[in-house]
Amino acid sequence: MENKILKIGLLTSGGDAPGMNAAIRAVVRACTFYKKNVLGIMRGYEGMIEGDIIKLDARSVGNIIQRGGTILKSARSKEFRTPEGRQEAFKHIKKHGIDGLIAIGGDGTFIGLHKFFEEFGIPSICIPGTIDNDLAGTDYTIGFDTATNTAVEAIDRIRDTALSHNRLFFIEVMGRNSGYIAINSGIAGGAAAVIIPEENMSFDQLYAMLGEGGKTNRKSNLIVVAEGSKIGGAHALAKQVAERSDYFDIKVTVLGHMQRGGSPTYFDRVLASQLGVGAVEGLISGENDCMVGIRNKRIVYNKFGDVMYKHHDIDAEALRIAKMLSI
Ligand code: F6P
């Protein structure tokens, strides 16, 4: 069944992620292919509220597939969380004749779009774009692969200096509620331990693993800590270890927003292209109020209600491997 959508509004919202531009390009070019108009809504829901809307065509998304960030810019809009804000946004959607919406972002983006659909009935699809890979209903989110590669490169560099000085490093990676970047960069970077929000490791357990050099015979240790660790971030953990022992020469590196920038990997570009096309084809064929995802290399459509408040479970096998190899 093909519905009558003619003009699609496209936005990026929440934390930017490498590969968002590749997804924008894919959406715009798929729209061109299917003879649909597409408008870019700037700065996520903020631009929707303010009517900051531009025309996009196949040429205006040239030369962006390799660029980090998002040409549509992004924001975390507080106003869109209010009924008044959404009402204001709807005025502009109506004025521009937008009859379908595609939003690229994370869970906050989905919740906003779901509410907007419930209130105004505009057919909507979200594309998962966040470095955190924390969204249920898709094996991967756009940006996760690039961010993890960036983290691994940083860990490799830190390893050189850590070893030269026999130092214990706490390296903090992003992930407010998610250990995906930590666990994967920890395995790939050969970390001695990985601390993630999804696992209840106590500080005593961590301290025992460090073993004051005696048990492990390690000259230096790299500990990868996810931002959302329940026993404290990298600085807090370093402080606790220092308070307990003066054996270690401890340093801390917080990788921070550098993980969000940079040119997307081939994986993220391909993923973004698949999801972008999937979103347009889904919307045209009547999929609605849902998130397009990739499961076992196939495009799937998940109803918002089924995935919105669900956490993408941490890969138990990856965790098992990380522990086994970090002896
Ligand atoms: O959701 C992506 C993310 O990078 C998280 O890993 C991090 O906690 C958060 O965004 C940081 O957000 P902001 O850039 O708004 O500080």
PDB file of all heavy atoms in Angstrom, residues 255-275:
ATOM      1  N   LEU A 255      37.819  11.073  27.435  1.00  0.00           N
ATOM      2  CA  LEU A 255      37.837  11.295  25.973  1.00  0.00           C
ATOM      3  C   LEU A 255      36.758  12.292  25.533  1.00  0.00           C
ATOM      4  O   LEU A 255      36.958  13.034  24.578  1.00  0.00           O
ATOM      5  CB  LEU A 255      37.680   9.975  25.227  1.00  0.00           C
ATOM      6  CG  LEU A 255      38.799   8.949  25.473  1.00  0.00           C
ATOM      7  CD1 LEU A 255      38.576   7.734  24.583  1.00  0.00           C
ATOM      8  CD2 LEU A 255      40.169   9.544  25.189  1.00  0.00           C
ATOM      9  N   GLY A 256      35.629  12.299  26.192  1.00  0.00           N
ATOM     10  CA  GLY A 256      34.608  13.326  25.969  1.00  0.00           C
ATOM     11  C   GLY A 256      34.128  13.444  24.535  1.00  0.00           C
ATOM     12  O   GLY A 256      34.039  12.460  23.794  1.00  0.00           O
ATOM     13  N   HIS A 257      33.863  14.675  24.119  1.00  0.00           N
ATOM     14  CA  HIS A 257      33.174  14.915  22.846  1.00  0.00           C
ATOM     15  C   HIS A 257      34.007  14.623  21.605  1.00  0.00           C
ATOM     16  O   HIS A 257      33.456  14.623  20.506  1.00  0.00           O
ATOM     17  CB  HIS A 257      32.632  16.352  22.805  1.00  0.00           C
ATOM     18  CG  HIS A 257      31.427  16.529  23.679  1.00  0.00           C
ATOM     19  ND1 HIS A 257      31.532  16.664  25.047  1.00  0.00           N
ATOM     20  CD2 HIS A 257      30.103  16.535  23.396  1.00  0.00           C
ATOM     21  CE1 HIS A 257      30.316  16.774  25.555  1.00  0.00           C
ATOM     22  NE2 HIS A 257      29.437  16.691  24.584  1.00  0.00           N
ATOM     23  N   MET A 258      35.293  14.397  21.769  1.00  0.00           N
ATOM     24  CA  MET A 258      36.060  14.002  20.570  1.00  0.00           C
ATOM     25  C   MET A 258      35.475  12.721  19.965  1.00  0.00           C
ATOM     26  O   MET A 258      35.584  12.474  18.766  1.00  0.00           O
ATOM     27  CB  MET A 258      37.545  13.819  20.876  1.00  0.00           C
ATOM     28  CG  MET A 258      37.857  12.648  21.783  1.00  0.00           C
ATOM     29  SD  MET A 258      39.615  12.407  22.023  1.00  0.00           S
ATOM     30  CE  MET A 258      40.092  11.787  20.440  1.00  0.00           C
ATOM     31  N   GLN A 259      34.811  11.911  20.811  1.00  0.00           N
ATOM     32  CA  GLN A 259      34.192  10.668  20.305  1.00  0.00           C
ATOM     33  C   GLN A 259      33.005  10.951  19.399  1.00  0.00           C
ATOM     34  O   GLN A 259      32.569  10.105  18.638  1.00  0.00           O
ATOM     35  CB  GLN A 259      33.700   9.812  21.474  1.00  0.00           C
ATOM     36  CG  GLN A 259      34.817   9.272  22.340  1.00  0.00           C
ATOM     37  CD  GLN A 259      34.323   8.903  23.730  1.00  0.00           C
ATOM     38  OE1 GLN A 259      34.072   7.755  24.004  1.00  0.00           O
ATOM     39  NE2 GLN A 259      34.172   9.886  24.593  1.00  0.00           N
ATOM     40  N   ARG A 260      32.445  12.151  19.490  1.00  0.00           N
ATOM     41  CA  ARG A 260      31.257  12.453  18.677  1.00  0.00           C
ATOM     42  C   ARG A 260      31.624  13.006  17.306  1.00  0.00           C
ATOM     43  O   ARG A 260      30.771  13.077  16.415  1.00  0.00           O
ATOM     44  CB  ARG A 260      30.367  13.442  19.430  1.00  0.00           C
ATOM     45  CG  ARG A 260      29.659  12.831  20.627  1.00  0.00           C
ATOM     46  CD  ARG A 260      28.149  12.874  20.488  1.00  0.00           C
ATOM     47  NE  ARG A 260      27.641  14.201  20.468  1.00  0.00           N
ATOM     48  CZ  ARG A 260      27.117  14.819  21.526  1.00  0.00           C
ATOM     49  NH1 ARG A 260      27.038  14.194  22.681  1.00  0.00           N
ATOM     50  NH2 ARG A 260      26.664  16.028  21.415  1.00  0.00           N
ATOM     51  N   GLY A 261      32.886  13.454  17.160  1.00  0.00           N
ATOM     52  CA  GLY A 261      33.246  14.106  15.902  1.00  0.00           C
ATOM     53  C   GLY A 261      34.010  13.186  14.967  1.00  0.00           C
ATOM     54  O   GLY A 261      34.202  12.002  15.244  1.00  0.00           O
ATOM     55  N   GLY A 262      34.396  13.759  13.842  1.00  0.00           N
ATOM     56  CA  GLY A 262      35.239  13.031  12.898  1.00  0.00           C
ATOM     57  C   GLY A 262      34.461  12.381  11.780  1.00  0.00           C
ATOM     58  O   GLY A 262      33.238  12.239  11.827  1.00  0.00           O
ATOM     59  N   SER A 263      35.216  11.999  10.761  1.00  0.00           N
ATOM     60  CA  SER A 263      34.639  11.391   9.575  1.00  0.00           C
ATOM     61  C   SER A 263      34.087  10.002   9.921  1.00  0.00           C
ATOM     62  O   SER A 263      34.765   9.212  10.566  1.00  0.00           O
ATOM     63  CB  SER A 263      35.760  11.289   8.536  1.00  0.00           C
ATOM     64  OG  SER A 263      35.263  10.762   7.347  1.00  0.00           O
ATOM     65  N   PRO A 264      32.856   9.696   9.508  1.00  0.00           N
ATOM     66  CA  PRO A 264      32.294   8.377   9.835  1.00  0.00           C
ATOM     67  C   PRO A 264      33.042   7.242   9.140  1.00  0.00           C
ATOM     68  O   PRO A 264      33.556   7.412   8.036  1.00  0.00           O
ATOM     69  CB  PRO A 264      30.851   8.463   9.329  1.00  0.00           C
ATOM     70  CG  PRO A 264      30.817   9.596   8.374  1.00  0.00           C
ATOM     71  CD  PRO A 264      31.897  10.546   8.777  1.00  0.00           C
ATOM     72  N   THR A 265      33.083   6.099   9.806  1.00  0.00           N
ATOM     73  CA  THR A 265      33.698   4.902   9.213  1.00  0.00           C
ATOM     74  C   THR A 265      32.839   4.423   8.043  1.00  0.00           C
ATOM     75  O   THR A 265      31.671   4.808   7.912  1.00  0.00           O
ATOM     76  CB  THR A 265      33.747   3.766  10.253  1.00  0.00           C
ATOM     77  OG1 THR A 265      32.408   3.516  10.712  1.00  0.00           O
ATOM     78  CG2 THR A 265      34.640   4.115  11.424  1.00  0.00           C
ATOM     79  N   TYR A 266      33.413   3.515   7.246  1.00  0.00           N
ATOM     80  CA  TYR A 266      32.636   2.937   6.137  1.00  0.00           C
ATOM     81  C   TYR A 266      31.370   2.298   6.704  1.00  0.00           C
ATOM     82  O   TYR A 266      30.293   2.397   6.122  1.00  0.00           O
ATOM     83  CB  TYR A 266      33.496   1.911   5.368  1.00  0.00           C
ATOM     84  CG  TYR A 266      33.032   0.488   5.554  1.00  0.00           C
ATOM     85  CD1 TYR A 266      31.980  -0.022   4.793  1.00  0.00           C
ATOM     86  CD2 TYR A 266      33.578  -0.315   6.558  1.00  0.00           C
ATOM     87  CE1 TYR A 266      31.498  -1.307   5.007  1.00  0.00           C
ATOM     88  CE2 TYR A 266      33.104  -1.585   6.771  1.00  0.00           C
ATOM     89  CZ  TYR A 266      32.064  -2.084   6.005  1.00  0.00           C
ATOM     90  OH  TYR A 266      31.575  -3.328   6.231  1.00  0.00           O
ATOM     91  N   PHE A 267      31.498   1.629   7.856  1.00  0.00           N
ATOM     92  CA  PHE A 267      30.354   0.918   8.440  1.00  0.00           C
ATOM     93  C   PHE A 267      29.209   1.888   8.725  1.00  0.00           C
ATOM     94  O   PHE A 267      28.053   1.635   8.382  1.00  0.00           O
ATOM     95  CB  PHE A 267      30.791   0.207   9.735  1.00  0.00           C
ATOM     96  CG  PHE A 267      29.688  -0.580  10.377  1.00  0.00           C
ATOM     97  CD1 PHE A 267      29.472  -1.902  10.035  1.00  0.00           C
ATOM     98  CD2 PHE A 267      28.841   0.005  11.316  1.00  0.00           C
ATOM     99  CE1 PHE A 267      28.437  -2.646  10.613  1.00  0.00           C
ATOM    100  CE2 PHE A 267      27.801  -0.718  11.890  1.00  0.00           C
ATOM    101  CZ  PHE A 267      27.602  -2.049  11.543  1.00  0.00           C
ATOM    102  N   ASP A 268      29.548   3.020   9.357  1.00  0.00           N
ATOM    103  CA  ASP A 268      28.484   3.985   9.681  1.00  0.00           C
ATOM    104  C   ASP A 268      27.889   4.619   8.428  1.00  0.00           C
ATOM    105  O   ASP A 268      26.696   4.932   8.394  1.00  0.00           O
ATOM    106  CB  ASP A 268      29.022   5.069  10.633  1.00  0.00           C
ATOM    107  CG  ASP A 268      28.913   4.625  12.093  1.00  0.00           C
ATOM    108  OD1 ASP A 268      27.968   3.882  12.415  1.00  0.00           O
ATOM    109  OD2 ASP A 268      29.772   5.010  12.899  1.00  0.00           O
ATOM    110  N   ARG A 269      28.708   4.819   7.403  1.00  0.00           N
ATOM    111  CA  ARG A 269      28.170   5.416   6.160  1.00  0.00           C
ATOM    112  C   ARG A 269      27.185   4.464   5.492  1.00  0.00           C
ATOM    113  O   ARG A 269      26.141   4.880   4.980  1.00  0.00           O
ATOM    114  CB  ARG A 269      29.304   5.728   5.187  1.00  0.00           C
ATOM    115  CG  ARG A 269      30.264   6.773   5.723  1.00  0.00           C
ATOM    116  CD  ARG A 269      31.346   7.050   4.708  1.00  0.00           C
ATOM    117  NE  ARG A 269      32.514   7.647   5.345  1.00  0.00           N
ATOM    118  CZ  ARG A 269      33.523   8.185   4.687  1.00  0.00           C
ATOM    119  NH1 ARG A 269      33.525   8.191   3.367  1.00  0.00           N
ATOM    120  NH2 ARG A 269      34.532   8.704   5.337  1.00  0.00           N
ATOM    121  N   VAL A 270      27.547   3.183   5.475  1.00  0.00           N
ATOM    122  CA  VAL A 270      26.666   2.198   4.837  1.00  0.00           C
ATOM    123  C   VAL A 270      25.391   2.037   5.673  1.00  0.00           C
ATOM    124  O   VAL A 270      24.272   2.035   5.147  1.00  0.00           O
ATOM    125  CB  VAL A 270      27.396   0.840   4.652  1.00  0.00           C
ATOM    126  CG1 VAL A 270      26.435  -0.227   4.144  1.00  0.00           C
ATOM    127  CG2 VAL A 270      28.559   1.006   3.677  1.00  0.00           C
ATOM    128  N   LEU A 271      25.570   1.908   6.982  1.00  0.00           N
ATOM    129  CA  LEU A 271      24.409   1.767   7.879  1.00  0.00           C
ATOM    130  C   LEU A 271      23.457   2.946   7.714  1.00  0.00           C
ATOM    131  O   LEU A 271      22.238   2.788   7.562  1.00  0.00           O
ATOM    132  CB  LEU A 271      24.905   1.690   9.334  1.00  0.00           C
ATOM    133  CG  LEU A 271      23.844   1.646  10.422  1.00  0.00           C
ATOM    134  CD1 LEU A 271      23.103   0.305  10.398  1.00  0.00           C
ATOM    135  CD2 LEU A 271      24.480   1.851  11.811  1.00  0.00           C
ATOM    136  N   ALA A 272      24.029   4.165   7.727  1.00  0.00           N
ATOM    137  CA  ALA A 272      23.212   5.376   7.597  1.00  0.00           C
ATOM    138  C   ALA A 272      22.485   5.400   6.253  1.00  0.00           C
ATOM    139  O   ALA A 272      21.324   5.817   6.160  1.00  0.00           O
ATOM    140  CB  ALA A 272      24.098   6.617   7.741  1.00  0.00           C
ATOM    141  N   SER A 273      23.162   4.934   5.209  1.00  0.00           N
ATOM    142  CA  SER A 273      22.538   4.918   3.878  1.00  0.00           C
ATOM    143  C   SER A 273      21.376   3.924   3.863  1.00  0.00           C
ATOM    144  O   SER A 273      20.294   4.216   3.340  1.00  0.00           O
ATOM    145  CB  SER A 273      23.576   4.540   2.814  1.00  0.00           C
ATOM    146  OG  SER A 273      24.645   5.463   2.846  1.00  0.00           O
ATOM    147  N   GLN A 274      21.587   2.749   4.466  1.00  0.00           N
ATOM    148  CA  GLN A 274      20.511   1.743   4.506  1.00  0.00           C
ATOM    149  C   GLN A 274      19.323   2.254   5.316  1.00  0.00           C
ATOM    150  O   GLN A 274      18.165   2.126   4.898  1.00  0.00           O
ATOM    151  CB  GLN A 274      21.024   0.458   5.167  1.00  0.00           C
ATOM    152  CG  GLN A 274      22.003  -0.318   4.317  1.00  0.00           C
ATOM    153  CD  GLN A 274      22.611  -1.481   5.099  1.00  0.00           C
ATOM    154  OE1 GLN A 274      23.055  -1.316   6.231  1.00  0.00           O
ATOM    155  NE2 GLN A 274      22.636  -2.645   4.491  1.00  0.00           N
ATOM    156  N   LEU A 275      19.609   2.835   6.466  1.00  0.00           N
ATOM    157  CA  LEU A 275      18.510   3.285   7.332  1.00  0.00           C
ATOM    158  C   LEU A 275      17.771   4.481   6.715  1.00  0.00           C
ATOM    159  O   LEU A 275      16.551   4.598   6.847  1.00  0.00           O
ATOM    160  CB  LEU A 275      19.047   3.652   8.722  1.00  0.00           C
ATOM    161  CG  LEU A 275      19.558   2.470   9.567  1.00  0.00           C
ATOM    162  CD1 LEU A 275      20.210   2.961  10.859  1.00  0.00           C
ATOM    163  CD2 LEU A 275      18.432   1.493   9.916  1.00  0.00           C
TER     164      LEU A 275
END
